Amino acid sequence: MKNIIFVAPPAAGKGTQCELLVNKYGYHHLSTGDLLRNVDPSTEVGKKVHEVMSSGGLVDDELVFSLIKEHLLTLDYHKGVLFDGAIRTLKQVELYDQLCVDLNMDRGHVIFINISEERAMARSLGRLGCSSCGKIYHKVNMKPEVEGICDVCGGTLVSRDDDNEITFKNRFNTYLEKVEPVLDYYRNRNELITVEAMDNKMDTFAQIEEVLNND
Ligand code: AMP
């Protein structure tokens, strides 16, 4: 399977679509947000990382890519990897291309999940995640069977620190400033595949599957 790079505004549903793809096709899922959230906050580097994340900014390019490389080396990455939010600056486009050369990996598809700022904010503010297995829910649109409890593993559902209105706005502005040039870069090379973030996650998934079926 080819790798897939997901590029999208915050809360467009990258993580949810990756979960569906992992369950159906068995990809590896590499979310840089998850890798960074797991950096130990008691270290000097960890403190900085968590500060940047809670301000809605972007973590240093080289640091992100050293974590990506370290994590990839623990996987059988030739089976196909979903890069969830891994490329957010033009420098990261370069670092990813270099990584593909170093690891003899095909670059794969670049999929943009399109969503308006208003809808993304509503999703962000209602988002809940399982503190144990990471499954994603929404207070209104994707409720668990029992309030506050994960359907899959019984873990507690929590909101992410950066899913508040102020940080969302900063994350969205960071997206406009840093990520849109990445979209333009791939669009100009005719490599950008756009899918729409639909209210029903399966409708978005169907658009992604159509891309995979055309391979
Ligand atoms: P996410 O879970 O994808 O919404 O990412 C959460 C936060 O992690 C972002 O708002 C950034 O602060 C940071 N982050 C995730 N991926 C990257 C990346 N590729 N480059 C820089 N910072 C990142």
Side-chain angles (χ1 to χ4, degrees):
M1 286 185 295
K2 281 191 184 172
N3 289 346
I4 305 178
I5 301 164
F6 280 104
V7 188
K14 300 188 294 296
T16 300
Q17 295 303 319
C18 287
E19 189 182 300
L20 292 168
L21 287 164
V22 168
N23 291 341
K24 183 153 179 187
Y25 298 100
Y27 286 93
H28 293 294
H29 178 196
L30 190 156
S31 150
T32 41
D34 286 347
L35 288 182
L36 292 164
R37 274 183 285 278
N38 283 333
V39 175
D40 181 353
S42 68
T43 62
E44 206 45 50
V45 172
K47 208 171 129 199
K48 179 88 191 128
V49 164
H50 288 273
E51 261 170 35
V52 172
M53 288 175 84
S54 42
S55 73
L58 290 181
V59 175
D60 177 71
D61 297 323
E62 304 280 348
L63 173 62
V64 171
F65 267 74
S66 71
L67 289 174
I68 291 178
K69 189 165 185 182
E70 191 181 282
H71 187 69
L72 275 182
L73 293 174
T74 68
L75 307 176
D76 184 7
Y77 53 83
H78 288 295
K79 275 190 172 167
V81 181
L82 306 175
F83 288 91
D84 169 355
I87 302 185
R88 300 193 192 212
T89 65
L90 288 171
K91 176 72 188 169
Q92 292 180 6
V93 170
E94 268 176 45
L95 289 168
Y96 179 73
D97 284 350
Q98 187 55 49
L99 189 67
C100 289
V101 173
D102 292 349
L103 300 182
N104 191 22
M105 203 169 57
D106 194 52
R107 183 155 79 185
H109 296 294
V110 185
I111 298 186
F112 165 48
I113 306 182
N114 190 29
I115 188 169
S116 69
E117 176 172 358
E118 203 184 6
R119 287 182 63 228
M121 180 148 102
R123 286 183 178 207
S124 167
L125 300 186
R127 174 158 61 184
L128 294 169
C130 175
S131 54
S132 221
C133 72
K135 188 171 166 54
I136 303 156
Y137 296 86
H138 188 276
K139 287 175 192 165
V140 181
N141 307 326
M142 268 196 283
K143 287 183 181 175
E145 276 168 28
V146 180
E147 198 182 324
I149 305 290
C150 177
D151 296 344
V152 178
C153 74
T156 310
L157 303 186
V158 291
S159 296
R160 270 170 46 173
D161 288 348
D162 57 355
D163 276 336
N164 62 69
E165 197 169 333
I166 292 174
T167 310
F168 176 84
K169 287 203 169 131
N170 290 338
R171 284 159 67 208
F172 202 89
N173 288 338
T174 302
Y175 162 78
L176 294 176
E177 190 192 330
K178 305 281 186 187
V179 185
E180 284 215 324
V182 170
L183 293 174
D184 289 340
Y185 171 86
Y186 288 121
R187 196 177 281 122
N188 289 337
R189 294 171 58 113
N190 279 331
E191 289 177 0
L192 193 72
I193 301 164
T194 300
V195 301
E196 297 297 323
M198 310 298 280
D199 286 337
N200 182 337
K201 64 182 177 183
M202 298 315 291
D203 292 338
T204 307
F205 189 55
Q207 295 174 54
I208 296 171
E209 284 195 295
E210 210 175 298
V211 175
L212 303 182
N213 293 337
N214 287 336
D215 260 353

